[in-house]
Amino acid sequence: MRTLVTGGAGFIGSHVVRLLLEAGHQVAVLDDLSAGRPERVPQGVSLHRVQLEEAGAVDEVVAQVRPQAVFHLAAQVDVQAAVREPLRDLTVNVAGSLVLLEACRRNGVEHLVYSSSAAVYGEPERLPLPEEAACKPLSPYGASKLAAEGYCWVYGAGAGLRTTVLRYANVYGPGQEARAEGGVVASFATRLAQGEPPRIFGSGRQTRDFIYVTDVARANLAALEGPGGLFNVGTGRERSVLELAQVLLELAGRQDLQPRTEPARPGEIERSALDPGRAGTVLGWHPRVDLREGLARTLAWTQAGSPMEAGALDALAGGRGA
Ligand SMILES: NC(=O)c1ccc[n+]([C@@H]2O[C@H](COP(=O)([O-])OP(=O)(O)OC[C@H]3O[C@@H](n4cnc5c(N)ncnc54)[C@H](O)[C@@H]3O)[C@@H](O)[C@H]2O)c1
């Protein structure tokens, strides 16, 4: 199948590209490289350096690639940057998504798979969160991801575009830089590689649902075969940030290091875990890589010097069978 991956030079997008190629699909990438890296894009995959907000340029790329399916991962993903500059966040995440949807409609794309976030839910009423839970985002980032979901449904209904929305928990794994959303594992692993203790914001008792990046990429491929709809992509398990730090210290053989604590940051959720039951039933998708195994692979990648080339990520992260 002909596919286009927006944000394909980014952390998660580059794993989606890898797995699509492994499954025999044709892949093109649209990315403005504001946070992405060209070396993450495998040789032979065309990289269109375009900003999502540039309607004419985005339409041109979609018309040229003529994808049957579009995986939409390009976004402003930094929660703190969205707090500082909510209008910029809205422009990329909402207006940019609308530009892409319009280009999909004009060029007869059949299926759009949108990468959304657990941030759309806000503070949970119960855990793990099912897809029907109320959405009351706490951050401009969560609000912009939710607004873009709305436009996906509009185009799904009105333009006959099959639409799948995947709400990811906290994604981690090889290829992630120590910044941006969900970057806590990358930040801890990078500090450990430098012999520094993990830095924890807040008490460390805040919980997250950590999902390995290859599992997330596999969810995108599973969505391609599915009927469309809304799916959580997580493990269903809460893990505290303190527990995460302890497992990493143990794996690195550095239990002598004590995590350092810093004041909590605004706009962050206290507890989170996503119920992945629907993705299991409808898409046949289940997470495969448990936290210890995923953290060990991430540490091994960091200790190898954090290579970003597609070939190195292939070797260290694991493929579709991972
Ligand atoms: N990392 C996580 O834990 C997590 C959790 C939930 C949801 N998500 C979602 O997954 C997707 C991918 O996130 P990621 O962690 O790989 O982030 P990333 O920053 O590594 O990737 C985003 C990519 O989008 C590109 N991009 C940014 N603005 C753009 C623009 N205006 N036009 C074109 N390209 C642009 C960047 O250059 C980058 O390559 C995002 O939609 C994000 O909201 C991520």
Side-chain angles (χ1 to χ4, degrees), residues 6-14 30-37 40 50-53 72-78 88 91-93 96 114-119 141 145 166-172 175-177 179-183 211 216:
T6 76
F11 163 49
I12 304 170
S14 60
L30 184 157
D31 197 301
D32 71 352
L33 300 182
S34 55
R37 290 166 168 257
R40 285 202 186 109
V50 162
Q51 271 195 317
L52 271 181
E53 313 86 286
H72 178 30
L73 294 99
Q76 189 303 112
V77 305
D78 187 330
R88 171 74 195 141
T91 305
V92 176
N93 291 359
Y114 172 57
S115 288
S116 188
S117 168
Y141 169 75
K145 296 301 286 185
L166 302 176
R167 289 180 178 161
Y168 305 154
N170 275 67
V171 189
Y172 73 97
Q176 187 172 33
E177 290 178 84
R179 57 159 181 81
E181 194 198 2
I211 179 89
V216 173

Side-chain angles (χ1 to χ4, degrees), residues 199-218:
R199 223 171 53 177
I200 293 177
F201 293 95
S203 66
R205 284 193 296 275
Q206 66 271 36
T207 65
R208 294 291 181 271
D209 178 351
F210 294 103
I211 179 89
Y212 187 66
V213 67
T214 307
D215 279 332
V216 173
R218 277 196 311 102

Side-chain angles (χ1 to χ4, degrees), residues 280-321:
T281 311
V282 180
L283 303 177
W285 175 87
H286 304 276
R288 288 192 189 148
V289 180
D290 72 22
L291 185 67
R292 219 182 155 76
E293 170 66 22
L295 289 179
R297 289 189 203 177
T298 309
L299 261 187
W301 172 78
T302 312
Q303 284 159 354
S306 306
M308 289 294 177
E309 295 75 22
L313 291 174
D314 252 335
L316 289 161
R320 275 190 298 155

Side-chain angles (χ1 to χ4, degrees), residues 245-259:
Q246 276 153 359
V247 177
L248 271 171
L249 286 169
E250 195 189 314
L251 284 168
R254 291 305 309 265
Q255 283 116 314
D256 57 305
L257 293 174
Q258 281 298 315

